[in-house]
C-alpha cells in the first residue's frame, strides 16, 4: 500500500512522524481489507465518516480517502476507526481522550465548582443506556447540549440532525421514564429573520420559520418538547435566547473569532456587507434567565431571553478593533454565509414581567471589554482549537 499523503485541514501536509504513520497504517490495515488499493489519502475530519460501504465504492475507483480527527489520534481512538462507532466505543474513546488531557474535553470548564456537587460524565447524548444510568435521581435536566454553529451545519448538517433531534428525543424519553423536570435551551433562530428596517421583534407567538440546517434542527427539537409535554405530560419549559457573548465561547463564533484573530496577528473576517444585526446578550444573563425559568417558570411555557442588545456586525467589529488598538478598517471582507439571516431581535417582556428577570450586563461596551480581557488572559483555553477552526473557515472561503 502506497500512502500517498496525509492531509490535515485544507491540504497542508502534516508533520506526522514515521512512527505515528506506522501506527496509523497498522490500525487501518487491521480494520480494512485494502485489496489492491493503489493509493491512500488520509485527511482530517470526523472519525466516524467512513464505513465498509463507502470504502467498497471508493475501492472500486482504486483510491480512497480516510477521514480521521487529528486531535484524537491516540491508539485507542484509532482502533475504533473503520467500524461504525457504537455508543460504547465513543464513550471509551472520550474517556481516554479526556484522561490524556486533550483540550476539547476541557476540565477547566468545571474547575472551581463544588466537587461534591459536580460530576463530569463524558458521553454521547444519544446513548440511551448511559442516560438510564445517569438520569435517575436528578431534580432537573437543563438541555444545553446542541451542535450550535450555523457555518458548521452548512458544511455538514448530519451531526446536527443526530445531536439536536435524536439527542433531544433521547433526553425526552429519559425524563418521561424517570419523571424529571426538563428545561430545553433553544434559540431565537427558530423564528427565522426580520428585515433590517422592521420595528418588529420576536415574541413567544412568532411562527417558526428557520433558515439554516442548524436552526431547523433546533426548531424540530422544540417541536418534540412541545409534543412530549402535551402527549406524555412531561414537565418541560423552553427558552429561546439571542446571540451570546462572554468568556469560554468557542473561537468559531463571531466575537471570539475576531478577538483571537487580532491576538494571533491575523485580520478579522466580516461576512457580506457587515450589516446583519444580532441581539447580543452576556452569557451570564442567559444563564440567569434559564435559572429563573427553571425555578419559577410555568410548565409547558416558552420564554424568550434577550437583553435589548441589537447591533450590526460591522459596528461590533469596529468596537473590537478600536478596543484592541487596531485601525477601524484592519479587517478582511469574506464570502457571505449562504442563507444568512438578516436580523434577530428579542422581545423578552414575558420573562421580565411574569418571572421578574432582568439582565445584569446592560452595558455592551464594558461586557465586550471584559470579554477581550478574558481571551487575552486565557490563551491556553482557546489556542488548541484556533488553528483547526481557521483552517476550516479558510476552506469555506471565510
Ligand atoms: O441567535 C442565537 C444564535 O446565535 C445561536 O442559536 C447560535 O448557536 C449561535 O451560533 C449564534 O448564531 P449566529 O449565526 O448569529 O452567530 P455567529 O457568531 O456565527 O455569527 C454572528 C454574526 O456574525 C452573523 O451575522 C455572521 C457574522 N460573522 C460570523 C463569523 C464567524 C461574520 O461576519 N464573520 C465571522 O467570522
Amino acid at each position: 500500500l502506497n500512502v500517498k499523503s496525509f492531509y490535515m485541514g485544507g491540504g497542508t501536509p502534516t508533520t506526522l512522524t514515521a512512527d505515528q504513520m506506522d501506527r496509523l497504517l497498522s490500525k487501518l490495515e487491521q480494520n480494512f481489507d485494502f485489496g489492491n488499493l493503489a493509493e491512500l489519502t488520509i485527511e482530517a475530519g470526523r472519525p466516524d465518516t467512513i464505513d465498509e460501504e463507502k470504502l467498497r465504492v471508493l475501492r472500486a475507483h482504486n483510491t480512497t480517502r480516510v477521514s480521521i480527527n487529528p486531535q484524537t489520534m491516540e491508539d485507542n481512538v484509532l482502533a475504533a476507526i473503520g467500524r461504525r462507532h457504537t455508543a460504547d466505543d465513543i464513550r471509551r474513546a472520550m474517556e481516554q481522550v479526556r484522561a490524556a488531557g486533550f483540550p476539547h474535553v476541557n476540565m477547566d470548564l468545571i474547575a472551581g465548582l463544588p466537587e461534591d456537587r459536580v460530576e463530569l460524565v463524558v458521553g454521547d447524548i444519544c446513548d440511551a443506556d448511559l442516560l438510564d444510568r445517569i438520569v435517575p435521581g436528578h431534580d432537573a435536566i437543563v438541555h444545553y447540549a446542541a451542535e450550535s454553529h450555523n457555518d458548521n451545519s452548512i458544511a455538514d448538517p448530519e451531526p446536527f440532525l443526530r445531536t439536536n433531534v435524536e439527542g433531544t428525543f433521547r433526553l425526552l424519553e429519559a425524563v418521561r421514564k424517570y419523571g424529571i423536570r426538563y428545561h430545553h435551551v433553544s434559540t431565537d433562530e427558530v423564528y427565522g429573520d426580520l428585515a433590517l428596517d422592521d420595528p418588529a421583534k420576536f415574541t413567544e407567538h412568532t411562527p417558526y420559520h428557520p433558515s439554516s440546517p442548524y436552526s431547523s434542527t433546533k426548531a424540530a427539537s422544540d417541536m418534540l418538547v412541545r409534543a412530549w409535554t402535551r402527549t406524555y405530560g412531561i414537565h418541560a419549559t423552553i427558552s429561546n435566547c439571542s446571540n451570546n457573548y462572554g468568556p469560554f465561547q468557542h473561537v468559531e463564533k463571531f466575537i471570539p473569532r475576531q478577538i483571537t484573530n487580532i491576538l494571533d496577528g491575523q485580520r478579522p473576517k466580516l461576512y457580506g456587507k457587515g450589516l446583519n444585526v444580532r441581539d447580543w446578550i452576556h452569557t451570564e444573563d442567559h444563564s440567569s434567565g434559564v435559572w429563573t425559568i427553571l425555578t419559577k417558570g410555568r410548565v409547558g411555557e416558552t420564554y424568550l431571553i434577550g437583553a435589548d442588545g441589537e447591533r450590526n456586525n460591522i459596528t461590533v467589529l469596529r468596537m473590537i478593533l478600536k478596543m484592541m488598538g487596531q485601525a477601524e478598517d484592519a479587517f478582511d471582507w469574506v464570502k457571505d454565509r449562504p442563507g444568512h439571516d438578516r436580523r434577530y431581535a428579542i422581545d423578552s417582556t414575558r420573562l421580565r414581567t411574569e418571572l421578574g428577570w432582568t439582565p445584569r450586563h446592560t452595558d455592551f461596551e464594558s461586557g465586550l471589554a471584559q470579554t477581550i480581557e478574558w481571551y487575552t488572559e486565557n490563551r491556553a483555553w482557546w489556542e488548541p482549537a484556533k488553528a483547526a477552526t481557521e483552517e476550516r473557515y479558510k476552506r469555506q472561503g471565510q
Side-chain angles (χ1 to χ4, degrees), residues 58-311:
L58 291 162
R59 221 184 273 126
H61 294 89
N62 213 27
T63 180
T64 189
R65 308 176 86 81
V66 174
S67 289
I68 71 149
N69 183 341
Q71 283 188 308
T72 53
M73 244 201 48
E74 286 294 283
D75 266 348
N76 42 47
V77 180
L78 287 176
I81 296 174
R83 337 179 225 120
R84 276 210 172 282
H85 284 194
T86 63
D88 263 353
D89 288 332
I90 295 174
R91 188 167 51 250
R92 250 195 321 277
M94 290 297 279
E95 271 158 16
Q96 282 158 346
V97 168
R98 176 176 56 134
F102 273 79
H104 56 293
V105 184
N106 197 331
M107 300 297 283
D108 291 349
L109 283 173
I110 60 165
L113 294 175
E115 275 178 25
D116 56 329
R117 296 185 59 206
V118 178
E119 185 191 355
L120 174 64
V121 178
V122 179
D124 180 350
I125 193 175
C126 297
D127 179 351
D129 295 341
L130 176 65
L131 293 177
D132 268 335
R133 281 204 303 281
I134 63 175
V135 165
H138 285 87
D139 299 323
I141 289 184
V142 180
H143 176 21
Y144 276 99
E147 285 283 350
S148 72
H149 196 52
N150 276 299
D151 295 317
N152 295 347
S153 80
I154 294 165
D156 182 10
E158 196 172 328
F160 288 72
L161 268 294
R162 194 173 131 75
T163 302
N164 298 356
V165 183
E166 189 186 339
T168 299
F169 160 69
R170 292 284 169 214
L171 279 188
L172 290 171
E173 285 294 83
V175 300
R176 174 158 86 99
K177 195 160 161 191
Y178 298 106
I180 288 167
R181 168 82 169 87
Y182 173 84
H183 179 73
H184 188 70
V185 176
S186 191
T187 169
D188 58 358
E189 294 191 17
V190 298
Y191 302 116
D193 65 351
L194 299 160
L196 296 180
D197 57 358
D198 185 347
K201 295 184 174 201
F202 299 135
T203 72
E204 286 79 3
H205 305 292
T206 306
Y208 274 39
H209 203 256
S211 324
S212 73
Y214 158 65
S215 54
S216 61
T217 58
K218 288 301 288 182
S221 71
D222 291 9
M223 293 301 157
L224 294 181
V225 179
R226 290 178 185 197
W228 260 242
T229 307
R230 176 164 168 163
T231 306
Y232 301 116
I234 64 162
H235 288 192
T237 41
I238 300 177
S239 57
N240 298 84
C241 188
S242 57
N243 281 66
N244 282 216
Y245 76 98
F248 293 110
Q249 192 173 32
H250 196 283
V251 289
E252 66 199 2
K253 307 283 187 200
F254 179 60
I255 289 179
R257 183 182 185 203
Q258 316 314 335
I259 296 171
T260 55
N261 270 3
I262 297 172
L263 291 172
D264 256 1
Q266 300 179 49
R267 283 160 72 89
K269 313 286 179 209
L270 195 59
Y271 296 176
K273 296 194 168 78
L275 297 179
N276 305 64
V277 172
R278 295 296 182 262
D279 189 353
W280 296 100
I281 180 172
H282 194 281
T283 177
E284 284 173 8
D285 287 330
H286 183 188
S287 297
S288 73
V290 167
W291 180 251
T292 304
I293 298 164
L294 185 68
T295 51
K296 298 194 206 158
R298 279 186 291 136
V299 161
E301 290 298 333
T302 290
Y303 298 87
L304 265 51
I305 309 179
D308 298 327
E310 279 187 68
R311 271 169 194 82

